[in-house]
Each structure stands twice: as C-alpha cells, then as structure tokens.
Amino acid sequence: LSCLCARSLSFPFALTHAPSRACALILSLCLSLSLSVSLSQSADQSLMKNAIKTSEESWIEQQMLEDKKRATDWEATNEAIEEQVARESYLQWLRDQEKQARQ
C-alpha cells in the first residue's frame, strides 16, 4: 500500500504490511504534523516577504517625500533670489531715470 498523503507531500512512503489502527493513527499524526510545520514555515516566509516588501515600499515613499521637499525648498529659494534680483534691478533703473531727469 502507498500513502496518498505522503505522495502529496513529495516523499515516498510505502507500507509493506497492512497497517494496524495504531500504525495508521501514528502515520496520520506524523503526516499532519509534517504538513502543519510545512504550512507554518510557508506562512512565516510569506509574512517575512510581505514585511520586507512593506518596509521597502515605505523606504521608497520616504525617499520620494524627502526628494520632493528638497525640490520644493530649492524652488522657493530660487524664486526668492529671482524676486530680489528683479527688485534691485528695478531700483537701479529708477535711480538711472532720476539721474537722466536731472541732467
């Protein structure tokens, strides 16, 4: 006889004698525990993969926000410099106009 559960777990298991109830019970328990451990390890791996993915996504999002903040700061600084240059240029133009009017 061969065990269907054992085949589904990818390891061969053949019984040469007809199993007694005790043997069948022990075999059933072993297979259940093996399947339980296998499923538990699979769930742990899945949880770990999900945690890593979430962590990576969070890190990427944080980096994007910091890049956006730096770009916004740079833009604000650039605008302030442009406004200052325009103001100084206008004031210089006014002074030049006053000098021409006096002459």
Side-chain angles (χ1 to χ4, degrees), residues 21-87:
R21 285 183 176 224
C23 183
L25 180 60
I26 291 170
L27 178 61
S28 176
L29 279 172
C30 289
L31 291 175
S32 294
L33 288 174
S34 173
L35 183 59
S36 174
V37 168
S38 176
L39 290 176
S40 175
Q41 289 173 346
S42 177
D44 288 347
Q45 289 175 349
S46 178
L47 285 173
M48 184 61 82
K49 285 180 183 177
N50 286 340
I52 290 170
K53 181 179 178 185
T54 300
S55 176
E56 288 173 348
E57 288 173 352
S58 177
W59 182 83
I60 290 169
E61 185 176 327
Q62 184 66 32
Q63 294 301 310
M64 290 173 68
L65 288 173
E66 288 177 15
D67 287 348
K68 178 75 173 171
K69 183 180 174 186
R70 281 191 291 272
T72 302
D73 289 346
W74 182 84
E75 289 170 358
T77 302
N78 195 36
E79 283 180 26
I81 291 170
E82 288 174 354
E83 288 173 5
Q84 181 66 28
V85 168
R87 204 172 8 261

Side-chain angles (χ1 to χ4, degrees), residues 1-4 6-7 12-21 23-28 31:
L1 297 174
S2 69
C3 178
L4 294 175
R7 269 192 250 137
F13 190 86
L15 296 175
T16 56
H17 305 292
S20 66
R21 285 183 176 224
C23 183
L25 180 60
I26 291 170
L27 178 61
S28 176
L31 291 175

